[in-house]
Amino acid sequence: MGRVLRVIIFFGILFALLPVVPAAGTEDKCQGDFSVRLKCWTSRLGDDPVTLTLDRALPLDGTEKSRAEILAGIEGHTDKLVVQVPAGVSTGEGGTVLLVLADQERRLVDPDARIDRLKPSTLKELNGICKVPRKALCDLVAQKEESDPVSGTLLIDRTLATEHPAYLAGSPDDAGGDPDNWLLPATATVLALLLAALFLLVRRTRTAPAPASGPAPAARSADEPTRALRAAPARPGRHRAPSGPTRPAVVRTDLHPQGYVELDRVLYRAVWADPGQAPPAPGSRVDVTDGPEPDSDVLHAFLPAAGRHAHAR
C-alpha cells in the first residue's frame, strides 16, 4: 500500500506541474510584431485549418507595408483560418483584423467577448478585404464617434459570428499564450483528484474488514507473546483425529467457534475440530487439514500429532 501511495503522489505532483509548461502555440513559434506573427500564422494555412485563440488584446503593430503584403496573399486561404474569442477578452485591433479575415462560420465568439473597433487608417488597409461578405463586419466595428468595443452578443445576433462560449485551453495556436488563464483551474482540478484518491486509500486502509473466508495477510509473526485463552471448556467424549493429511500452523485468534490460524505467513479461517479437547490459545501450534465439505474455505484444526497421541493413550 505504501508503494502504491508513493506512486500516486508522484504522478499527482507531475500532472499538477504540467500546466506550468507553455503550450506549443504561437507564443513559442510566432514571435515579433503583428506583421511578423500574422505571416507566421498564415504560412501554415493549407489543407488543415489553423485555429487562433485570443486570450488577450492583440495590438496592430508593425509596418503598413509588411501587413499589406501579407493581406494581399491571404484572401484565398481564409476558409482555413479559425479565430476564437473567449468570454471577457478584448481583441485589440489586431484581434479584430483576424476576425475580419476569418469566414463568418469560423469566427467563434463568446457573447461576453469585447471586439475593439478599427481606426479609419486600419480600415483603409483592409479596403481590399472589407467587401461582401466581410463588409457588414467592417462597418460594424468601424471607429466612429463612439469608441466602446462591440459586444460578442451583437456579432452573434447579426449572424456575423458563431457563438462559442467554451474556452478551449490548449488549442493548436493561442494568440497571446498567457498561462494564467488556465494554470489555476487546471492545477486545482488535479490536486482535488489527487486528494480524493488519497482520502479513499486512507479510508480503505483503516476500515478494511477481515475476510469472511480464504487467505489474508499475516498480522503477526510466530514469536509474538501468547494471549490468554478465552475458550469454552472441553466437552467429554472421544478425541477426534484428522481424516486427511495435515500441515502445521499457529493459532492467531481464539478458535471459538472459528478464528484464524497462520500457515506459511498467511491467515486462514479455521474451526476447532476436536470436541473432546479445549481449543488452544493464540500462539499455540496446531495441525490443520482441509474441511470435509467440498470447496470449503474453512480449515479444521487439531492438536499436533504428539499431543493427539498423548491423549489417546
mmCIF file of all heavy atoms in Angstrom, residues 70-104:
data_model
loop_
_atom_site.group_PDB
_atom_site.id
_atom_site.type_symbol
_atom_site.label_atom_id
_atom_site.label_comp_id
_atom_site.label_asym_id
_atom_site.label_seq_id
_atom_site.Cartn_x
_atom_site.Cartn_y
_atom_site.Cartn_z
ATOM 1 N N ILE A 70 1.158 40.762 -46.704
ATOM 2 C CA ILE A 70 0.575 39.524 -46.156
ATOM 3 C C ILE A 70 -0.911 39.443 -46.483
ATOM 4 O O ILE A 70 -1.422 38.410 -46.920
ATOM 5 C CB ILE A 70 0.800 39.463 -44.643
ATOM 6 C CG1 ILE A 70 2.297 39.466 -44.342
ATOM 7 C CG2 ILE A 70 0.156 38.224 -44.048
ATOM 8 C CD1 ILE A 70 2.620 39.674 -42.881
ATOM 9 N N LEU A 71 -1.618 40.585 -46.301
ATOM 10 C CA LEU A 71 -3.056 40.586 -46.537
ATOM 11 C C LEU A 71 -3.387 40.335 -48.001
ATOM 12 O O LEU A 71 -4.431 39.761 -48.328
ATOM 13 C CB LEU A 71 -3.653 41.929 -46.097
ATOM 14 C CG LEU A 71 -3.573 42.211 -44.594
ATOM 15 C CD1 LEU A 71 -4.076 43.622 -44.295
ATOM 16 C CD2 LEU A 71 -4.377 41.189 -43.811
ATOM 17 N N ALA A 72 -2.488 40.730 -48.887
ATOM 18 C CA ALA A 72 -2.733 40.534 -50.313
ATOM 19 C C ALA A 72 -2.740 39.055 -50.682
ATOM 20 O O ALA A 72 -3.414 38.648 -51.636
ATOM 21 C CB ALA A 72 -1.690 41.286 -51.131
ATOM 22 N N GLY A 73 -2.007 38.253 -49.961
ATOM 23 C CA GLY A 73 -1.918 36.835 -50.316
ATOM 24 C C GLY A 73 -2.742 35.911 -49.454
ATOM 25 O O GLY A 73 -2.669 34.690 -49.612
ATOM 26 N N ILE A 74 -3.541 36.466 -48.533
ATOM 27 C CA ILE A 74 -4.272 35.608 -47.602
ATOM 28 C C ILE A 74 -5.704 35.339 -48.041
ATOM 29 O O ILE A 74 -6.344 34.412 -47.559
ATOM 30 C CB ILE A 74 -4.278 36.247 -46.194
ATOM 31 C CG1 ILE A 74 -4.665 35.210 -45.139
ATOM 32 C CG2 ILE A 74 -5.225 37.433 -46.139
ATOM 33 C CD1 ILE A 74 -4.609 35.745 -43.732
ATOM 34 N N GLU A 75 -6.229 36.141 -48.975
ATOM 35 C CA GLU A 75 -7.657 36.060 -49.299
ATOM 36 C C GLU A 75 -8.087 34.681 -49.778
ATOM 37 O O GLU A 75 -9.186 34.230 -49.490
ATOM 38 C CB GLU A 75 -8.005 37.107 -50.362
ATOM 39 C CG GLU A 75 -7.989 38.528 -49.832
ATOM 40 C CD GLU A 75 -8.513 39.524 -50.845
ATOM 41 O OE1 GLU A 75 -9.747 39.640 -50.975
ATOM 42 O OE2 GLU A 75 -7.692 40.157 -51.509
ATOM 43 N N GLY A 76 -7.231 33.992 -50.474
ATOM 44 C CA GLY A 76 -7.623 32.680 -50.997
ATOM 45 C C GLY A 76 -7.555 31.573 -49.979
ATOM 46 O O GLY A 76 -7.891 30.419 -50.300
ATOM 47 N N HIS A 77 -7.149 31.883 -48.751
ATOM 48 C CA HIS A 77 -6.989 30.828 -47.731
ATOM 49 C C HIS A 77 -7.774 31.119 -46.460
ATOM 50 O O HIS A 77 -7.570 30.457 -45.446
ATOM 51 C CB HIS A 77 -5.502 30.674 -47.366
ATOM 52 C CG HIS A 77 -4.619 30.379 -48.529
ATOM 53 N ND1 HIS A 77 -4.559 29.149 -49.132
ATOM 54 C CD2 HIS A 77 -3.777 31.186 -49.225
ATOM 55 C CE1 HIS A 77 -3.699 29.183 -50.139
ATOM 56 N NE2 HIS A 77 -3.207 30.418 -50.214
ATOM 57 N N THR A 78 -8.651 32.086 -46.484
ATOM 58 C CA THR A 78 -9.365 32.446 -45.257
ATOM 59 C C THR A 78 -10.311 31.350 -44.774
ATOM 60 O O THR A 78 -10.707 31.339 -43.610
ATOM 61 C CB THR A 78 -10.177 33.732 -45.473
ATOM 62 O OG1 THR A 78 -11.056 33.552 -46.596
ATOM 63 C CG2 THR A 78 -9.250 34.910 -45.744
ATOM 64 N N ASP A 79 -10.681 30.424 -45.644
ATOM 65 C CA ASP A 79 -11.576 29.345 -45.217
ATOM 66 C C ASP A 79 -10.877 28.369 -44.289
ATOM 67 O O ASP A 79 -11.529 27.490 -43.703
ATOM 68 C CB ASP A 79 -12.130 28.599 -46.435
ATOM 69 C CG ASP A 79 -11.024 27.968 -47.256
ATOM 70 O OD1 ASP A 79 -9.933 28.567 -47.354
ATOM 71 O OD2 ASP A 79 -11.247 26.879 -47.810
ATOM 72 N N LYS A 80 -9.562 28.485 -44.150
ATOM 73 C CA LYS A 80 -8.801 27.609 -43.260
ATOM 74 C C LYS A 80 -8.417 28.301 -41.963
ATOM 75 O O LYS A 80 -7.725 27.721 -41.133
ATOM 76 C CB LYS A 80 -7.525 27.113 -43.965
ATOM 77 C CG LYS A 80 -7.781 26.343 -45.235
ATOM 78 C CD LYS A 80 -8.593 25.076 -44.973
ATOM 79 C CE LYS A 80 -8.821 24.297 -46.261
ATOM 80 N NZ LYS A 80 -9.628 23.086 -46.033
ATOM 81 N N LEU A 81 -8.849 29.544 -41.773
ATOM 82 C CA LEU A 81 -8.491 30.298 -40.578
ATOM 83 C C LEU A 81 -9.662 30.295 -39.595
ATOM 84 O O LEU A 81 -10.770 30.704 -39.932
ATOM 85 C CB LEU A 81 -8.128 31.744 -40.951
ATOM 86 C CG LEU A 81 -7.764 32.678 -39.787
ATOM 87 C CD1 LEU A 81 -6.506 32.189 -39.074
ATOM 88 C CD2 LEU A 81 -7.571 34.103 -40.300
ATOM 89 N N VAL A 82 -9.418 29.841 -38.366
ATOM 90 C CA VAL A 82 -10.422 29.815 -37.307
ATOM 91 C C VAL A 82 -9.945 30.733 -36.184
ATOM 92 O O VAL A 82 -8.824 30.588 -35.697
ATOM 93 C CB VAL A 82 -10.640 28.387 -36.752
ATOM 94 C CG1 VAL A 82 -11.687 28.395 -35.638
ATOM 95 C CG2 VAL A 82 -11.046 27.438 -37.876
ATOM 96 N N VAL A 83 -10.810 31.675 -35.783
ATOM 97 C CA VAL A 83 -10.452 32.636 -34.732
ATOM 98 C C VAL A 83 -11.446 32.487 -33.591
ATOM 99 O O VAL A 83 -12.658 32.580 -33.792
ATOM 100 C CB VAL A 83 -10.457 34.080 -35.260
ATOM 101 C CG1 VAL A 83 -10.079 35.053 -34.141
ATOM 102 C CG2 VAL A 83 -9.478 34.222 -36.428
ATOM 103 N N GLN A 84 -10.943 32.259 -32.374
ATOM 104 C CA GLN A 84 -11.775 32.085 -31.177
ATOM 105 C C GLN A 84 -11.548 33.251 -30.224
ATOM 106 O O GLN A 84 -10.406 33.638 -29.970
ATOM 107 C CB GLN A 84 -11.421 30.776 -30.460
ATOM 108 C CG GLN A 84 -11.651 29.539 -31.307
ATOM 109 C CD GLN A 84 -11.308 28.267 -30.559
ATOM 110 O OE1 GLN A 84 -11.884 27.224 -30.786
ATOM 111 N NE2 GLN A 84 -10.357 28.343 -29.656
ATOM 112 N N VAL A 85 -12.643 33.805 -29.687
ATOM 113 C CA VAL A 85 -12.555 34.885 -28.700
ATOM 114 C C VAL A 85 -13.337 34.455 -27.463
ATOM 115 O O VAL A 85 -14.560 34.441 -27.483
ATOM 116 C CB VAL A 85 -13.111 36.211 -29.258
ATOM 117 C CG1 VAL A 85 -12.813 37.341 -28.270
ATOM 118 C CG2 VAL A 85 -12.516 36.520 -30.624
ATOM 119 N N PRO A 86 -12.662 34.091 -26.374
ATOM 120 C CA PRO A 86 -13.351 33.641 -25.158
ATOM 121 C C PRO A 86 -14.039 34.791 -24.436
ATOM 122 O O PRO A 86 -13.873 35.969 -24.771
ATOM 123 C CB PRO A 86 -12.213 33.062 -24.313
ATOM 124 C CG PRO A 86 -11.056 32.890 -25.241
ATOM 125 C CD PRO A 86 -11.209 33.934 -26.288
ATOM 126 N N ALA A 87 -14.781 34.445 -23.411
ATOM 127 C CA ALA A 87 -15.506 35.434 -22.617
ATOM 128 C C ALA A 87 -14.537 36.351 -21.890
ATOM 129 O O ALA A 87 -13.498 35.914 -21.388
ATOM 130 C CB ALA A 87 -16.419 34.737 -21.607
ATOM 131 N N GLY A 88 -14.885 37.651 -21.838
ATOM 132 C CA GLY A 88 -14.099 38.612 -21.087
ATOM 133 C C GLY A 88 -12.836 39.086 -21.757
ATOM 134 O O GLY A 88 -12.088 39.869 -21.185
ATOM 135 N N VAL A 89 -12.558 38.634 -22.970
ATOM 136 C CA VAL A 89 -11.332 39.004 -23.671
ATOM 137 C C VAL A 89 -11.615 40.158 -24.626
ATOM 138 O O VAL A 89 -12.610 40.151 -25.351
ATOM 139 C CB VAL A 89 -10.752 37.799 -24.445
ATOM 140 C CG1 VAL A 89 -9.578 38.236 -25.311
ATOM 141 C CG2 VAL A 89 -10.329 36.716 -23.476
ATOM 142 N N SER A 90 -10.727 41.158 -24.628
ATOM 143 C CA SER A 90 -10.775 42.223 -25.625
ATOM 144 C C SER A 90 -9.822 41.864 -26.755
ATOM 145 O O SER A 90 -8.680 41.452 -26.512
ATOM 146 C CB SER A 90 -10.363 43.568 -25.006
ATOM 147 O OG SER A 90 -11.292 43.974 -24.019
ATOM 148 N N THR A 91 -10.272 42.030 -27.970
ATOM 149 C CA THR A 91 -9.491 41.555 -29.108
ATOM 150 C C THR A 91 -8.298 42.445 -29.415
ATOM 151 O O THR A 91 -7.280 41.966 -29.915
ATOM 152 C CB THR A 91 -10.375 41.471 -30.354
ATOM 153 O OG1 THR A 91 -10.893 42.773 -30.645
ATOM 154 C CG2 THR A 91 -11.510 40.492 -30.137
ATOM 155 N N GLY A 92 -8.402 43.775 -29.148
ATOM 156 C CA GLY A 92 -7.400 44.673 -29.683
ATOM 157 C C GLY A 92 -7.603 44.814 -31.183
ATOM 158 O O GLY A 92 -8.327 44.028 -31.810
ATOM 159 N N GLU A 93 -6.974 45.816 -31.781
ATOM 160 C CA GLU A 93 -7.150 45.993 -33.229
ATOM 161 C C GLU A 93 -6.654 44.787 -34.007
ATOM 162 O O GLU A 93 -7.264 44.377 -35.001
ATOM 163 C CB GLU A 93 -6.429 47.263 -33.691
ATOM 164 C CG GLU A 93 -7.266 48.516 -33.654
ATOM 165 C CD GLU A 93 -6.782 49.567 -34.617
ATOM 166 O OE1 GLU A 93 -5.632 50.032 -34.442
ATOM 167 O OE2 GLU A 93 -7.532 49.923 -35.567
ATOM 168 N N GLY A 94 -5.542 44.207 -33.573
ATOM 169 C CA GLY A 94 -5.010 43.042 -34.272
ATOM 170 C C GLY A 94 -5.968 41.871 -34.243
ATOM 171 O O GLY A 94 -6.166 41.182 -35.253
ATOM 172 N N GLY A 95 -6.589 41.623 -33.077
ATOM 173 C CA GLY A 95 -7.548 40.535 -32.984
ATOM 174 C C GLY A 95 -8.786 40.778 -33.829
ATOM 175 O O GLY A 95 -9.336 39.845 -34.428
ATOM 176 N N THR A 96 -9.242 42.052 -33.900
ATOM 177 C CA THR A 96 -10.400 42.365 -34.747
ATOM 178 C C THR A 96 -10.076 42.133 -36.213
ATOM 179 O O THR A 96 -10.917 41.637 -36.983
ATOM 180 C CB THR A 96 -10.828 43.821 -34.523
ATOM 181 O OG1 THR A 96 -11.091 44.030 -33.129
ATOM 182 C CG2 THR A 96 -12.088 44.143 -35.310
ATOM 183 N N VAL A 97 -8.847 42.465 -36.635
ATOM 184 C CA VAL A 97 -8.436 42.195 -38.014
ATOM 185 C C VAL A 97 -8.482 40.701 -38.299
ATOM 186 O O VAL A 97 -8.917 40.267 -39.384
ATOM 187 C CB VAL A 97 -7.031 42.763 -38.276
ATOM 188 C CG1 VAL A 97 -6.486 42.270 -39.611
ATOM 189 C CG2 VAL A 97 -7.062 44.289 -38.256
ATOM 190 N N LEU A 98 -8.060 39.894 -37.342
ATOM 191 C CA LEU A 98 -8.120 38.441 -37.538
ATOM 192 C C LEU A 98 -9.564 37.984 -37.721
ATOM 193 O O LEU A 98 -9.843 37.114 -38.562
ATOM 194 C CB LEU A 98 -7.493 37.722 -36.345
ATOM 195 C CG LEU A 98 -5.979 37.845 -36.176
ATOM 196 C CD1 LEU A 98 -5.523 37.132 -34.905
ATOM 197 C CD2 LEU A 98 -5.236 37.290 -37.384
ATOM 198 N N LEU A 99 -10.500 38.558 -36.926
ATOM 199 C CA LEU A 99 -11.904 38.199 -37.095
ATOM 200 C C LEU A 99 -12.413 38.590 -38.483
ATOM 201 O O LEU A 99 -13.186 37.847 -39.106
ATOM 202 C CB LEU A 99 -12.751 38.895 -36.029
ATOM 203 C CG LEU A 99 -12.720 38.283 -34.621
ATOM 204 C CD1 LEU A 99 -13.491 39.161 -33.644
ATOM 205 C CD2 LEU A 99 -13.300 36.873 -34.626
ATOM 206 N N VAL A 100 -12.002 39.758 -38.980
ATOM 207 C CA VAL A 100 -12.425 40.186 -40.310
ATOM 208 C C VAL A 100 -11.899 39.222 -41.365
ATOM 209 O O VAL A 100 -12.597 38.880 -42.335
ATOM 210 C CB VAL A 100 -11.949 41.624 -40.583
ATOM 211 C CG1 VAL A 100 -12.205 42.004 -42.046
ATOM 212 C CG2 VAL A 100 -12.651 42.610 -39.661
ATOM 213 N N LEU A 101 -10.670 38.751 -41.189
ATOM 214 C CA LEU A 101 -10.076 37.850 -42.180
ATOM 215 C C LEU A 101 -10.785 36.495 -42.207
ATOM 216 O O LEU A 101 -10.905 35.878 -43.273
ATOM 217 C CB LEU A 101 -8.588 37.644 -41.870
ATOM 218 C CG LEU A 101 -7.688 38.866 -42.032
ATOM 219 C CD1 LEU A 101 -6.269 38.537 -41.577
ATOM 220 C CD2 LEU A 101 -7.678 39.352 -43.478
ATOM 221 N N ALA A 102 -11.237 35.999 -41.049
ATOM 222 C CA ALA A 102 -11.876 34.679 -40.996
ATOM 223 C C ALA A 102 -13.272 34.726 -41.608
ATOM 224 O O ALA A 102 -13.938 35.761 -41.601
ATOM 225 C CB ALA A 102 -11.946 34.204 -39.548
ATOM 226 N N ASP A 103 -13.733 33.587 -42.111
ATOM 227 C CA ASP A 103 -15.102 33.490 -42.616
ATOM 228 C C ASP A 103 -16.087 33.507 -41.448
ATOM 229 O O ASP A 103 -15.730 33.203 -40.307
ATOM 230 C CB ASP A 103 -15.284 32.197 -43.423
ATOM 231 C CG ASP A 103 -14.473 32.234 -44.721
ATOM 232 O OD1 ASP A 103 -14.037 33.341 -45.110
ATOM 233 O OD2 ASP A 103 -14.271 31.163 -45.326
ATOM 234 N N GLN A 104 -17.361 33.833 -41.747
ATOM 235 C CA GLN A 104 -18.354 34.009 -40.689
ATOM 236 C C GLN A 104 -18.473 32.781 -39.788
ATOM 237 O O GLN A 104 -18.469 32.887 -38.569
ATOM 238 C CB GLN A 104 -19.717 34.354 -41.320
ATOM 239 C CG GLN A 104 -20.836 34.608 -40.310
ATOM 240 C CD GLN A 104 -21.543 33.316 -39.870
ATOM 241 O OE1 GLN A 104 -21.578 32.348 -40.639
ATOM 242 N NE2 GLN A 104 -22.064 33.294 -38.655
#
